[in-house]
Amino acid sequence: MDNVDVVVVGAGVVGLAIARALAAAGREVLILEAADGFGTGTSSRNSEVIHAGIYYPRGSLKARFCVAGRDRLYTFCEQHGVEHRRCGKLIVATSDSQLPDLQKIQAAAQGNGVELELWEASRAIALEPQLRCVGALHSPVTGIVDSHSYMLALLGQAEDRGATLSCGNRVTRLSLENDGVVIAINGEEPLLRARTLINSAGIDAPQVAKLIEGFPPEHVPRAFFAKGNYFTLAGRSPFKRLVYPIPEPGGLGVHLTLDLAGRARFGPDVQWIAERDYTVDARRGDKFYAAIRTYWPGLPDGSLQPAYAGIRPKISPPEAPAADFRIDGPEAHGVKSVVNLFGIESPGLTASLAIADHVASLDL
């Protein structure tokens, strides 16, 4: 049986960032990924937005790690040639009844150390003539990033420091021993013994935790899947900034984001599902048109095309407030050799470097 210092389960953006941080600290790191390549799940099925840290409860891990991770991410991209753009974002009220919501969002953002400018409608429309609103918040530090290039850079740096990525290897059994965790892969007999196991498996993290024989089950949350569908715009985008409506339960509403080529995409919506499903039903486009036209009434008929879908790895049910990130180390569950990361949805991409620093700081 092979022995390794650290096994990271999951080669999404957070798993790669953790592997990089631990390898930089001198740890021997093996990354196990069930898929045939890195970053094929939630990490590549999102809006690729660098979030400012606006919406999250004050003092939460989401708020703290988003703000710290945002600044780290911009610096990382600049230093390592990862394409990105600090394009800014407008959060818009489309009726007078929503104006108080803008003030609440501004106050919450200030509590997180994020400054937003409250604009009159005329100022926002002067910059984005196709926009319809009665008021807006401007976030100058929001941006977009090439998530694949970012993950490739993280992986390259982890490998330069001795980490190894092994794809096509699904963890199928885990058992605790005094000196670590014994790991079986793809249904085979136990092949590895790791001193430390980092469970960063995204939507599969609760299931991976359930595989750990002897792990206290009360420390494994139930998984809930919130599917988000995206549609792209045929033709040139008339917007140069991201446009977000007032948030809705489960998500931030059908917003307009841009890729680095300036193409517009819309989403995600919120579709609660029981099983993993990445298909996009073109019929959902009807609701997209209605939602988008509240802030862009000029959206042409027939201009939306089904694009892709992602799944938010939630640990709170539809009727409950969104749960915070859970990064459960030995102090949380009493098992020295295991760290579980649960509910790492948005802003996980933005927060990835800060999350990695936190995990690397644990006494493992």
Side-chain angles (χ1 to χ4, degrees):
M1 185 180 299
D2 291 333
N3 290 278
V4 65
D5 185 11
V6 181
V7 166
V8 176
V9 181
V13 65
V14 173
L16 293 173
I18 291 170
R20 169 185 175 269
L22 291 173
R27 305 291 295 270
E28 177 196 18
V29 180
L30 172 65
I31 313 162
L32 295 179
E33 171 55 49
D36 292 334
F38 66 87
T40 62
T42 304
S43 298
S44 60
R45 295 175 171 273
N46 56 68
S47 301
E48 297 187 301
V49 172
I50 301 176
H51 290 288
I54 296 168
Y55 304 100
Y56 317 111
R58 185 173 182 176
S60 66
L61 295 184
K62 286 183 177 180
R64 289 165 45 203
F65 291 156
C66 184
V67 172
R70 176 199 75 206
D71 295 337
R72 290 280 313 280
L73 180 53
Y74 276 124
T75 299
F76 182 96
C77 291
E78 291 163 2
Q79 292 178 343
H80 301 290
V82 176
E83 192 174 2
H84 66 289
R85 183 179 309 139
R86 201 180 301 231
C87 55
K89 175 173 81 172
L90 293 171
I91 305 168
V92 299
T94 57
S95 66
D96 289 340
S97 64
Q98 291 183 338
L99 288 174
D101 292 320
L102 292 184
Q103 295 175 337
K104 292 177 183 177
I105 293 170
Q106 184 183 36
Q110 288 175 340
N112 292 339
V114 180
E115 293 299 323
L116 301 178
E117 300 169 311
L118 184 59
W119 286 3
E120 293 183 354
S122 57
R123 185 174 181 185
I125 294 169
L127 291 178
E128 299 289 0
Q130 294 288 320
L131 184 65
R132 175 190 174 275
C133 69
V134 297
L137 290 169
H138 178 238
S139 170
V141 297
T142 300
I144 52 177
V145 64
D146 182 336
S147 59
H148 180 78
S149 294
Y150 172 47
M151 288 188 283
L152 193 62
L154 290 173
L155 175 59
Q157 291 195 12
E159 291 178 332
D160 286 347
R161 292 164 172 81
T164 301
L165 170 64
S166 183
C167 293
N169 287 303
R170 181 178 296 278
V171 173
T172 51
R173 183 181 173 190
L174 297 160
S175 58
L176 298 174
E177 291 192 351
N178 291 334
D179 56 349
V181 182
V182 174
I183 305 167
I185 299 168
N186 297 332
E188 301 293 334
E189 290 299 315
L191 300 174
L192 293 171
R193 180 184 288 109
R195 176 184 168 194
T196 302
L197 178 79
I198 310 293
N199 174 13
S200 184
I203 63 175
D204 291 320
Q207 183 59 37
V208 169
K210 289 178 182 178
L211 293 175
I212 306 173
E213 297 172 5
F215 189 83
E218 64 270 20
H219 291 287
V220 182
R222 182 181 172 187
F224 298 90
F225 294 167
K227 181 179 177 181
N229 300 276
Y230 290 84
F231 284 72
T232 54
L233 178 69
R236 186 177 181 86
S237 171
F239 295 91
K240 295 182 179 179
R241 294 161 187 82
L242 312 185
V243 180
Y244 279 53
I246 299 298
E248 62 181 33
L252 299 180
V254 176
H255 48 265
L256 181 156
T257 61
L258 304 168
D259 65 18
L260 288 159
R263 294 182 293 262
R265 54 191 171 195
F266 298 91
D269 59 358
V270 179
Q271 180 185 2
W272 294 94
I273 57 175
E275 302 291 338
R276 190 179 328 216
D277 175 18
Y278 291 115
T279 60
V280 179
D281 185 348
R283 292 172 295 183
R284 297 187 72 84
D286 294 341
K287 293 184 178 179
F288 271 68
Y289 280 102
I292 296 163
R293 282 172 173 157
T294 62
Y295 57 83
W296 181 23
L299 173 66
D301 289 336
S303 59
L304 296 183
Q305 301 171 342
Y308 61 95
I311 299 174
R312 304 171 182 88
K314 288 184 173 292
I315 53 173
S316 50
E319 65 275 8
D324 197 7
F325 291 160
R326 275 182 55 179
I327 303 174
D328 292 1
E331 290 187 1
H333 50 61
V335 180
K336 181 172 176 56
S337 50
V338 175
V339 178
N340 287 315
L341 289 90
F342 299 127
I344 311 297
E345 55 170 328
S346 180
L349 174 66
T350 305
S352 53
L353 291 172
I355 292 172
D357 286 346
H358 174 74
V359 172
S361 74
L362 299 176
D363 182 18
L364 303 173

